[in-house]
Amino acid sequence: MAEGPKSQMPARRKARKRALDVLYESDLRDANILTTLDAYVGRMENPKPEHLPYAISLVEGVAQHLDRIDELISSYAEGWTIERMPVVDRNLARIAVYELLYVEEIDDPVAITEAVELAKELSTDDSPRYLNGILGRIADYAH
């Protein structure tokens, strides 16, 4: 069975999208991230996609470092509290900040671009520019 244009999406972007799905669900339900991840993976049919391990590592990394990640996002989200950010943007920012700080093999511009591209696809018209600004400032701080 042929897939649509999504099949052309690079594996890491698919992984980020899945990580976003889990973080979004957890955020909306105010549920534990790792419990939500376990349930999400449990609902998936076999064979599991090849990009799933990276998605899991993103979710687990965000969960492990959530306080520090949210502290940075709050510090650099000029004019917004993290609670007021759209749920999609908040969780895209969390994934990108995790990659900026803790994933050595992902270059900063790639982490930022990926968050911006997913925001273009999934969030508001203002989200890509807003996320680009926050993440750029955090990347400058981190290095």
Side-chain angles (χ1 to χ4, degrees), residues 4-6 9 19 26 42 44 47 49 53 57-58 64 68-69 76 84 86 102 104 106 113 116 121 135 142:
K6 278 200 164 180
M9 191 183 289
S26 171
M44 294 178 77
S57 74
L58 290 173
Q64 181 180 351
R68 177 73 180 130
I69 290 169
Y76 290 90
R84 283 191 54 222
Y102 302 105
E104 292 291 320
I106 302 291
T113 299
V116 169
E121 184 183 326
L135 297 173

Side-chain angles (χ1 to χ4, degrees), residues 68-69 71-73 75-76 97 100-102 108 112 133-143:
R68 177 73 180 130
I69 290 169
E71 177 186 311
L72 279 170
I73 294 168
S75 297
Y76 290 90
V97 171
L100 287 171
L101 297 181
Y102 302 105
D108 290 359
I112 294 168
I134 293 172
L135 297 173
R137 290 189 295 275
I138 292 172
D140 289 345
Y141 155 80
H143 300 289

Side-chain angles (χ1 to χ4, degrees), residues 41-125:
V41 172
R43 291 190 302 265
M44 294 178 77
E45 294 184 15
N46 287 322
K48 305 276 194 267
E50 288 182 20
H51 61 266
L52 186 60
Y54 189 64
I56 290 170
S57 74
L58 290 173
V59 173
E60 289 175 343
V62 168
Q64 181 180 351
H65 300 284
L66 187 63
D67 290 343
R68 177 73 180 130
I69 290 169
D70 281 0
E71 177 186 311
L72 279 170
I73 294 168
S74 295
S75 297
Y76 290 90
E78 295 171 351
W80 287 84
T81 61
I82 196 162
E83 294 80 19
R84 283 191 54 222
M85 289 175 74
V87 178
V88 169
D89 296 1
R90 176 170 55 234
N91 287 292
L92 283 173
R94 285 171 171 159
I95 292 167
V97 171
Y98 172 72
E99 286 185 316
L100 287 171
L101 297 181
Y102 302 105
V103 184
E104 292 291 320
E105 71 267 16
I106 302 291
D107 293 332
D108 290 359
V110 171
I112 294 168
T113 299
E114 288 295 316
V116 169
E117 288 302 314
L118 284 168
K120 285 179 187 172
E121 184 183 326
L122 302 167
S123 197
T124 71
D125 290 344

Side-chain angles (χ1 to χ4, degrees), residues 15-35:
R16 289 178 186 95
K17 172 83 172 56
R18 283 199 190 269
L20 175 64
D21 289 346
V22 173
L23 293 171
Y24 182 89
E25 179 182 336
S26 171
D27 203 343
L28 278 186
R29 294 179 175 193
D30 199 21
N32 178 280
I33 292 172
L34 298 178
T35 304

